[in-house]
Amino acid sequence: MISARNHRAPINERSRPVPQGFTPPYSPTGRSSLVPPPPWHYAGQILSLAFAVDKAAAENFLPTGFGTATGRAVAHCCEWQSTTDGWELLDPAYAQYREFFILLEAMRDGQPALYCPFIYVDQDISMARGWLQGWPKKLGSVWMTRPYDLDHIAAAPRRAGTRLGATLAVKDRRLMEARITLDGSEGARLGFLATPTFGLIASPTIVGQPDPGKPQLARALVENFTAGTFHGGTAELTFLASPRDELADLAPQGPAVASLANVAFSITGAVKADMPE
Amino acid sequence: MISARNHRAPINERSRPVPQGFTPPYSPTGRSSLVPPPPWHYAGQILSLAFAVDKAAAENFLPTGFGTATGRAVAHCCEWQSTTDGWELLDPAYAQYREFFILLEAMRDGQPALYCPFIYVDQDISMARGWLQGWPKKLGSVWMTRPYDLDHIAAAPRRAGTRLGATLAVKDRRLMEARITLDGSEGARLGFLATPTFGLIASPTIVGQPDPGKPQLARALVENFTAGTFHGGTAELTFLASPRDELADLAPQGPAVASLANVAFSITGAVKADMPE
Amino acid sequence: MISARNHRAPINERSRPVPQGFTPPYSPTGRSSLVPPPPWHYAGQILSLAFAVDKAAAENFLPTGFGTATGRAVAHCCEWQSTTDGWELLDPAYAQYREFFILLEAMRDGQPALYCPFIYVDQDISMARGWLQGWPKKLGSVWMTRPYDLDHIAAAPRRAGTRLGATLAVKDRRLMEARITLDGSEGARLGFLATPTFGLIASPTIVGQPDPGKPQLARALVENFTAGTFHGGTAELTFLASPRDELADLAPQGPAVASLANVAFSITGAVKADMPE
Amino acid sequence: MISARNHRAPINERSRPVPQGFTPPYSPTGRSSLVPPPPWHYAGQILSLAFAVDKAAAENFLPTGFGTATGRAVAHCCEWQSTTDGWELLDPAYAQYREFFILLEAMRDGQPALYCPFIYVDQDISMARGWLQGWPKKLGSVWMTRPYDLDHIAAAPRRAGTRLGATLAVKDRRLMEARITLDGSEGARLGFLATPTFGLIASPTIVGQPDPGKPQLARALVENFTAGTFHGGTAELTFLASPRDELADLAPQGPAVASLANVAFSITGAVKADMPE
């Protein structure tokens, strides 16, 4: 059998090397694997948009027993750079990706908690890492304006009056558009930067009778969090209809509160969370 | 808890809909899921390239106990169109993808069997379906010449003397180049079109101590196979070095035998295969 | 000065090679140029959709003096393979591209003629060749169902009852959706396959005062045309709104007539067409 | 005739609107045009790499009469954001692109001057604007590490010891790899940030006898230049072979001097430059 447990071990003493790797593809050295085990390190720009959502609509996306929807939600647009031991920063096609996701707030054991119904990225490595954490990732195309702190019409510097945009497209359909105006205030820590955030780790199988499995509620372990200044503002946030991706069911009710920052952190693993049947 | 088992059931009688779906993302209707359960139906053009590979090199990629490498291998370049009930053919961004993979031959219980060490596709839906079957899919960019049966220099018609190309790139590095010359002969059924083919279904986890799990050897169930004419030829096949994707360890020794055809089939599920520890 | 005229000549006798090329970039060998001079050879699948358009709307897109809009228009979705002397078919990333364009019919000197207001492709080589012919090309993402003549749900064979789809997206917005039903009839030769087709070759400049130049009406010279069977049908064709690409101004009025075929031809150059001031 | 000169004028008084636009496609409003006239405003991150190149090799890429190659060259990797009046920053798929280019230094009338033999971008708008300025743009895929000023392994902050990477791929082949180490010094203004830079504006035509035209040496007019801190360092820079794009002829001889900065500027037009026949 494959000795995948030795995914970082040197080639063993047996008569031939045993295929190695934390995830497929397995190879004699393990270098070909799509994703190595955590810790995974991230730095990037995150735009957080807090908005009101119809409570019943949000409730319909929550796992049974997760909690009661509060009618609050947060969307995050991100431009990430990630690495294991630093090598990916020297070959940034392996490090960089863009991401958009939505988090729905619920009261859970008397405390606010967040659950992720939709998330999109543009790289396979990120998709696979997300699935291991309970993020329901698909491929999507994300764009977001980058602030450069220069006094120029193209620079979108982080100061009052600057306007920024962000968009998401999935399978060649635009599903989200945001237009943000910074107002010079200090921004809030919103969404997963402030509130415990959960996902469902799935285990579907087609071996024997196809079965979606029993998804496991879990929470990623975040360490080494650091951030720059948070810049506040307001935003118009729009979700557009699609025959497949039902973001528009979670349409923002009214304008959003915006917060923009550079952040960095490490994911070291995940822990199970309880959920009544 | 999520009632994902009812992934195709109408919204149930409870006070609120339960999120549905065979895979994440789950939604009240299940329409947002990345992948529905099989059957999955495929049609497309497949270029098969049979080549000799160093036995010891191939052996190093085989799961322990799978069998003994014969030194034979097959590469497949494919342009697929897939659907569940036909709707994807009306929105082909959901149906079409390109694929490249390698199969290593081993003697297993006295019979030839194939194992897949590397496979690349360009769509998320295909990636997820592959993982459920034990295909170690990553994203890659695949190009292959399309024959049109017209008498014109750009048409590459299926006849003796026509030359075709195929390439693979992963993370902006070219990893495979093939140049095929059709010779007017009838092509052979090669690779997974002729020989039982196995993959390792992985179950890595980062909940608690990161663990690659115990990969399960499995074989997809193929039904409704149909094919057009197979066109034979020869090919130069080259694998190029990469710091991550170790295809070049399986470099072809000498020229390849080529076979080009349109095929269609359905995947209805998968079955476990035994493997000594 | 650059001796670009010698773009195909061997390196000359001077003390050093002179940069060569029909288009930039220029290099000592000319091999780096984006586009060589014609002839350019094409083969591929073309889906033609004839539809009625508001006459006044179409008229507004015609160059003054071109002719009088008839209210007829044709959209073409294409999957091309192009080559100069055959080498691109061995490295198909250089040969293949997808294309969508619209042609507006006008009466011109008592004869029907077509003019192209919008065209989208997904490769730079095609974009540059198009500009040289008067096609107003931008980048876009085009998908179209591929028929394989097999009896299978995923194969979309060319026969009565088969349904196909085609889409266009530009800058992450979907701008066109078509759903075609083949009806078993023989298809018509539509659009540029049947009627003289004109474009405006532009010559904008930013040297000195920015000036769009005086566009030159022209017509490409087509030779060596050959085609397979034309398959007829009907289609729903929809153009979607965009803040930039005004296709929706040319919205189809009612269903479209569809015709699907494999074709091949060569472009050998272009000729000027007269147009009253 | 098309009244493209009125490209920004309101629809005129004639019986119907005249198609408008600085470049194709022309439309009644001019909104569909790929590129409006300058001024074009840019902000972004630029990584400049100064290197030694074989004099004779460089000389072979210079237009006759441009000057004498000095054996110095600069490569620039850029991540840009561009806009006309600000609207593109709200829909950043129209604003952002990545770019890689090479500049060769020559002595011209006793002063150093730069000429661009190769440049690659990933957006059509940028490609068209470049052609108007004499930049020989093709499509390419560019990646470069982004520094975030946070103390974290993934952040690549702008300080001594930080390592960054940059790559270029064209048609699925990697053509450039750079590995930069910042050393805490102040960076120099290199390349087009320091030295007059020229390009050849091409005017190939296929009307009548195909003719590459007589390229016009020109120089873009830059205004409103502003920059943040320049961070110095060193780099390994490698150009890789391709059958089409001859960058490898200009291979760096030894390590490169690196300089990283955020910059912004506006292009307002271009002026012709003289060149002896």
Side-chain angles (χ1 to χ4, degrees), chain C residues 7 21 28 38 51 56 61 101 107 134 137 159 162 198 200 203 211 215:
Chain C
H7 51 273
F51 60 98
F61 280 87
F101 58 112
M107 289 308 290
K137 290 191 180 181
R159 66 182 183 205
T162 286
F198 297 83
L200 283 179
S203 53
D211 190 318

Side-chain angles (χ1 to χ4, degrees), chain B residues 65-84:
Chain B
F66 180 74
T68 305
T70 63
R72 286 187 288 270
V74 174
H76 292 291
C77 304
C78 314
E79 197 162 55
W80 293 120
Q81 192 160 269
S82 70
T83 188
T84 50

Side-chain angles (χ1 to χ4, degrees), chain C residues 22 33 46 56 96 116 123 149 195 213:
Chain C
F22 181 64
S33 286
I46 182 163
Q96 296 180 345
C116 177
Q123 287 272 23
D149 289 323
T195 304

Side-chain angles (χ1 to χ4, degrees), chain D residues 74-120:
Chain D
V74 174
H76 293 290
C77 304
C78 313
E79 196 162 57
W80 294 120
Q81 192 160 267
S82 71
T83 188
T84 50
D85 61 6
W87 79 259
E88 293 91 344
L89 301 189
L90 300 182
D91 197 350
Y94 286 88
Q96 296 180 344
Y97 64 103
R98 287 182 270 188
E99 184 171 72
F100 173 79
F101 59 112
I102 300 175
L103 298 174
L104 301 174
E105 193 189 76
M107 290 308 290
R108 175 176 164 77
D109 299 333
Q111 301 291 328
L114 297 171
Y115 170 79
C116 178
F118 292 116
I119 180 166
Y120 303 88

Side-chain angles (χ1 to χ4, degrees), chain B residues 207-220:
Chain B
V207 175
Q209 185 64 22
D211 191 317
K214 186 178 162 68
Q216 169 61 54
L217 194 70
R219 186 178 164 195

Side-chain angles (χ1 to χ4, degrees), chain C residues 1 5 17 27 29 32 59-60 64 91 123-124 138-139 171 173 206 211 215 244 246 270 275, chain D residues 1 5 14 16-17 27 29 32 60 64 91 123-124 138-139 171 173 206 211 215 244 246 270 275:
Chain C
M1 197 51 206
R5 277 169 213 271
S27 74
T29 67
S32 297
E59 188 88 10
N60 289 345
T64 310
D91 197 349
Q123 287 272 23
D124 51 1
K138 292 183 172 180
L139 288 182
K171 297 276 180 272
R173 277 193 187 87
I206 65 163
D211 190 318
R244 312 307 307 178
E246 300 161 272
M275 197 159 51
Chain D
M1 195 52 203
R5 278 168 213 272
R14 299 174 51 172
R16 65 171 181 88
S27 72
T29 68
S32 296
N60 288 345
T64 310
D91 197 350
Q123 286 272 25
D124 51 0
K138 291 183 175 183
L139 288 182
K171 296 278 180 272
R173 276 193 187 87
I206 64 163
D211 190 319
R244 313 306 307 178
E246 299 161 274
M275 198 159 48

Side-chain angles (χ1 to χ4, degrees), chain A residues 53-77:
Chain A
V53 64
D54 180 77
K55 261 189 217 186
E59 190 87 9
N60 288 346
F61 280 86
L62 295 178
T64 311
F66 179 74
T68 305
T70 63
R72 284 186 291 268
V74 174
H76 293 291
C77 304

